[in-house]
Amino acid sequence: MDDAVDQRDEVLDQRDEAGDELHTVPVSEDVVDSPSSDPIELDIDGSSSNPVDEDLVGVVVSNGVEAYELYNNYAYRVGFSVRKGNQRCKVYSKTVQMKMFMCSKAGFKVKANAGVRAYSKIDTRSGCGACVQFDVGEDGLWTVTKHVKVHNHELCAVDKSHLLRSHRNVGDNQLLYLKDLKKSGVAMADGIRFLKHQAGGSPLVGFTNRDAYNSIASDTSKRLDGTDSNSLIEIFRKRQSTESDFFFDFEVDCDSRLCSFFWRDGRMRQDYELFGDLLVHDTTYRTNKYDMICGPFVGMNHHCMNVMFGCGFLMNERIESFVWLFRAFLRSMNGKCPQTIMTDQCASMAAAICQVFPTSRHRLCIWHIGENSKKHIKALRNNKDFLDMFNCVLKYTETEFWNCEYTVLELWTYSISCLNMLVTDYKCHKNSWIQKLYDCREKWCPAFNKDYFSGGILSSQRSETTNHSISRRLSKTAGLCDFYSSFVSVTSEWRSKENGEDFRCTQGVPNMMMEHVKLLLHAREVYTIEIYFLFEEQFMKGNACHQEMVLNEGCQFKYHVWRPDIDIIRHEVSFKLSTLDISCSCKLISELGILYCHCLRILHIHCASSIPNKYIMKRWTKKVADGRDVNTGSMFCRAGVPPSIWVVEICRKFQRLISSSQDNSVTRQFCDEAVEEAKKKKYSAARGRRSAANKVASSTKGAVQSLVLESLSEIAGDGYLVHPSSGSSEFCQYSNDVDDNAVVD
């Protein structure tokens, strides 16, 4: 028996010498209340009332956690670190009968094979014999039966005890707080600095910087549980099992490696139903360590703010990759295509859009066109006059006609044909890049897109805003799961802002620049605040316009509307008084979704008291999202103060109490008594709950065992029964005379 114990001790020593990491022992649930007649009362937090050389023999605790805390607190006062040692359990029940805790310098480190090492680690073992032994009685109480206090090494000074391994630990709430700060874009070093400041300094925070980084890395590895891609797919599957409208899809290559994936939640589909007439997609950003292409699908809500429709990742920019992504997006949105889709100048993406979104109007981002011009016509851009005309062609063209002499498109702006001047004055009609720009003129020139809603957007900056919001939270080494967490955080922030604007619209109305104007009063009633300001701006522009009637056929009117000394082009407005039908040659009603200044001028002179319903686009109204489902379950389940926040707040309160009481012996004694009283109440409540649970479990277990024994007795009497899980080759003997409490050591 002694040889077996020695062999087990040797194995345990080797296991402990493999690393100095201290593993936390879970609290046992089958704990029995300590009898009130215990001769020795436990000071579980190891207060300074006990002398340093106190003999712990005879101290009684309730479980293994309290046993470890007792010896570890003693070690902190003396100046050494603790690790867990040997233990002896019952063979069948695996119940601990004896447990030892030793000085961390016990035993000797196993010498590894000599060789070159990438790092060096100091040897802290010295064969120290200091230890404490707990024996566990039949009542479940742990009693100190042996305490060796002699160390063969120098003890640590009191001001450095907090650096010993067993006295350092990153608590669950501290880890949660650091993770939340990291997700919010706060650097780890700043988060650790904040916790140290809240605790009152490095000795009081309970861990070192390296402990914090190791804990974050360990938590990340536990969450990943294998490959990053598998973990991400597992996250999607869990969400799909709990959210009926969650959608995701992924694509793997011939080697079963993840190469493309897309996901969206139920709220994104609802948002797309409301605001899916405009879709912005940009793939110019790579934001993870796999160098995959991030492609968020972004729109614009009724407050002119970003709204997320989904997100995809691609390994490359091939046509088939974009076709797969767009088809996954379209399938998740029940086949609804957007009116307008805004992208960058990617030929593969353009080809995929023609296949998947044939009815949508594909527009190019003018910002990307301007950036590309810096590479292709750099010399011409150095001329300021050319640059001004080039920007005018991109942004401010309104009408178009064909000029056969130059075989190029001339776009008539406010006063001149800018493109004609570009071609003739700067001799760029043979430039291949400008010719290609002309060939795709329908995709970027505003004059060709008046019949398609765009909300006034000329670039894909909204999608790039998404990339910027995520990139400031991540680095190039971030994995897919990290990106997913940041993406969820950004989407949550956007939804929170939208919710705030919805609330703002319900609490009041904006001030009007002109009082008692019925058109403005109606607009203020139906539109959101942001859209009302746009409407009011157009109304004020309309007041500065002149109108000239060119046709009067009873109820049918035609006007030429312009701003003197500003507009060279006169826009033609047609108005039918009986039906309040109105149209303008600028076609900004269909492009922006609100009545423009020319139409508002004519409605105002005809004393229109309200905006015709046919010209009120639902996507701009306050009530557009009233039918949208809101998941309030998660909101209510998160009510209250999170544990990590509560820990910081309570630590701050105690820190102030300690600081104000440290110089007065009376107040210090009062604080000690208050802590002891709170500690006794806490342990009493916890033991009471466990005791009640144990009584119920014990009574149930006893009843079941008695029924089983009676049944066995009736069936077998005194004899042999085949064990149900072992097969016919193993037998166990049953006898009525066997002691139920007999155990084998």
Side-chain angles (χ1 to χ4, degrees), residues 38-70:
D38 286 343
I40 299 179
E41 184 176 345
L42 170 63
D43 187 6
I44 194 65
D45 64 349
S47 61
S48 58
S49 58
N50 291 339
V52 171
D53 58 350
E54 174 191 4
D55 192 349
L56 299 179
V57 174
V59 175
V60 179
V61 295
S62 299
N63 50 57
V65 174
E66 292 184 6
Y68 174 78
E69 289 180 355
L70 171 67

Side-chain angles (χ1 to χ4, degrees), residues 634-673:
S634 60
M635 297 168 58
F636 289 110
C637 71
R638 296 179 183 178
V641 180
S644 58
I645 303 297
W646 179 84
V647 168
V648 173
E649 292 178 352
I650 202 68
C651 288
R652 182 182 299 173
K653 293 178 181 178
F654 273 95
Q655 182 64 27
R656 292 174 180 173
L657 180 63
I658 294 171
S659 299
S660 60
S661 305
Q662 60 184 351
D663 297 329
N664 190 307
S665 59
V666 177
T667 55
R668 288 168 61 180
Q669 183 179 359
F670 175 78
C671 290
D672 291 339
E673 294 174 354

Side-chain angles (χ1 to χ4, degrees), residues 133-251:
Q133 176 178 323
F134 287 87
D135 288 345
V136 184
E138 295 296 331
D139 55 0
L141 298 179
W142 294 50
T143 305
V144 179
T145 58
K146 178 182 178 182
H147 182 198
V148 179
K149 297 182 286 184
V150 179
H151 296 263
N152 67 351
H153 56 86
E154 183 180 358
L155 297 176
C156 183
V158 177
D159 60 340
K160 297 180 178 61
S161 292
H162 66 278
L163 299 175
L164 293 169
R165 183 64 190 90
S166 66
H167 309 306
R168 306 193 324 258
N169 178 49
V170 182
D172 293 339
N173 290 317
Q174 292 172 321
L175 180 61
L176 179 61
Y177 205 88
L178 289 174
K179 288 162 56 180
D180 290 341
L181 290 175
K182 184 180 179 182
K183 291 178 182 178
S184 302
V186 179
M188 271 289 294
D190 294 332
I192 297 171
R193 194 177 299 112
F194 171 77
L195 291 180
K196 288 181 179 179
H197 175 73
Q198 292 294 324
S202 298
L204 301 178
V205 74
F207 58 86
T208 63
N209 289 18
R210 178 177 293 182
D211 296 331
Y213 282 102
N214 290 341
S215 297
I216 290 290
S218 176
D219 180 77
T220 302
S221 63
K222 290 178 182 177
R223 285 188 291 107
L224 292 180
D225 190 27
T227 62
D228 197 16
S229 58
N230 290 340
S231 300
L232 182 65
I233 300 302
E234 184 63 26
I235 291 174
F236 291 160
R237 284 179 175 148
K238 288 181 179 179
R239 288 197 62 179
Q240 194 174 57
S241 64
T242 57
E243 302 176 29
S244 59
D245 203 15
F246 184 86
F247 178 91
F248 78 96
D249 195 6
F250 62 93
E251 185 183 32

